[in-house]
Amino acid sequence: MPQQLIISIGREYGSGGHEIAEELAERFGLHFYDKNLLKEIATEKNVDVNRLEKYDELPRSVSRKVRGFSNSPEENTANMQFEYLRKMAENGKSFVIVGRCSETVLRDYSCMISIFILADLSYKIDRISSQQGISREKAEILINRQNKKRKDYHNYYCLKKWGHSQNYDISINSSRLGIERTANILAGYIQERMSISIPR
């Protein structure tokens, strides 16, 4: 049976983390999950995927628990994803997962490699303004807003903080080498990790 491999990618908005994750999934022949994780969950639970996507990667809004169950759609959506990730890992599946607190949710699996992709602000602004056809000023506002959302979401559900290096196996600045060469460096690291067994 092939060795199980799970690659968890945390990322700053505009860093190219999504593209790097897709590249790693292709190189290692792994299933790739980001927002599409919700489609599988929606199909399994027979719910409207658009409803789940509305609350994806958001911190809990004001809510209360009734008989142990939260009435927060954000929290329920997050927990459904966490449960689904654990189930896939428990069943021996290999995959790449972007965000969704995966480095914390799957921390007990020795086959999991956690990566955080960051980048210089000017690099992120260049990428977002070019990709979305907006001014550099609007790009910076969007980057700050999206990263705050990601940070708030992660830090609500996890004890270790979003983006802090000690929370990941490796953190790397994609603006130093660009998307392709950053993926090359990470692929080499993953191959080295797969070739040895280190107690966690």
Side-chain angles (χ1 to χ4, degrees):
M1 176 178 287
Q3 180 180 354
Q4 185 181 11
L5 172 63
I6 299 170
I7 302 173
S8 163
I9 304 284
R11 75 288 184 218
E12 291 182 344
Y13 187 75
S15 67
H18 186 277
E19 293 91 330
I20 291 169
E22 286 184 312
E23 177 67 22
L24 293 175
E26 183 176 343
R27 292 189 190 197
F28 290 96
L30 303 176
H31 291 290
F32 174 81
Y33 293 104
D34 192 354
K35 290 183 179 294
N36 60 326
L37 182 69
L38 290 172
K39 293 181 180 179
E40 291 199 9
I41 295 172
T43 298
E44 181 182 88
K45 296 186 176 295
N46 195 28
V47 298
D48 181 7
V49 68
N50 293 320
R51 182 180 177 186
L52 296 181
E53 287 176 345
K54 181 179 177 182
Y55 302 109
D56 186 33
E57 285 201 303
L58 293 175
R60 186 184 72 172
S61 58
V62 177
S63 65
R64 63 190 180 92
K65 290 197 173 185
V66 179
R67 296 178 182 173
F69 295 96
S70 172
N71 67 349
S72 163
E74 297 90 352
E75 187 168 6
N76 290 333
T77 299
N79 285 326
M80 278 192 285
Q81 292 183 84
F82 302 159
E83 178 186 342
Y84 199 81
L85 288 172
R86 291 189 191 101
K87 183 173 70 174
M88 289 199 298
E90 184 66 26
N91 289 338
K93 291 188 177 181
S94 294
F95 53 91
V96 174
I97 175 66
V98 175
R100 285 141 192 89
C101 300
S102 50
E103 87 294 328
T104 298
V105 172
L106 302 175
R107 66 184 178 276
D108 293 331
Y109 292 89
S110 60
C111 61
M112 192 270 290
I113 297 174
S114 60
I115 298 165
F116 190 83
I117 313 292
L118 61 145
D120 293 347
L121 180 58
S122 59
Y123 178 82
K124 292 183 289 190
I125 290 173
D126 286 343
R127 292 190 75 250
I128 296 302
S129 61
S130 175
Q131 287 178 352
Q132 302 198 17
I134 58 178
S135 69
R136 292 180 60 80
E137 291 76 15
K138 288 183 178 179
E140 184 172 0
I141 291 169
L142 179 58
I143 289 164
N144 290 335
R145 182 168 65 238
Q146 291 298 103
N147 281 335
K148 184 180 186 306
K149 283 171 58 178
R150 290 177 181 179
K151 180 179 179 180
D152 289 348
Y153 166 83
H154 183 280
N155 292 353
Y156 176 79
Y157 293 104
C158 306
L159 291 177
K160 293 185 178 180
K161 302 305 181 184
W162 180 79
H164 287 200
S165 60
Q166 63 268 31
N167 198 26
Y168 308 89
D169 294 319
I170 185 169
S171 297
I172 191 165
N173 187 326
S174 61
S175 57
R176 297 292 186 262
L177 295 174
I179 302 300
E180 187 69 21
R181 287 189 289 175
T182 298
N184 289 341
I185 294 294
L186 292 172
Y189 175 82
I190 292 164
Q191 287 172 332
E192 287 294 321
R193 279 283 302 276
M194 291 174 68
S195 70
I196 57 177
S197 177
I198 301 176
R200 292 176 69 86

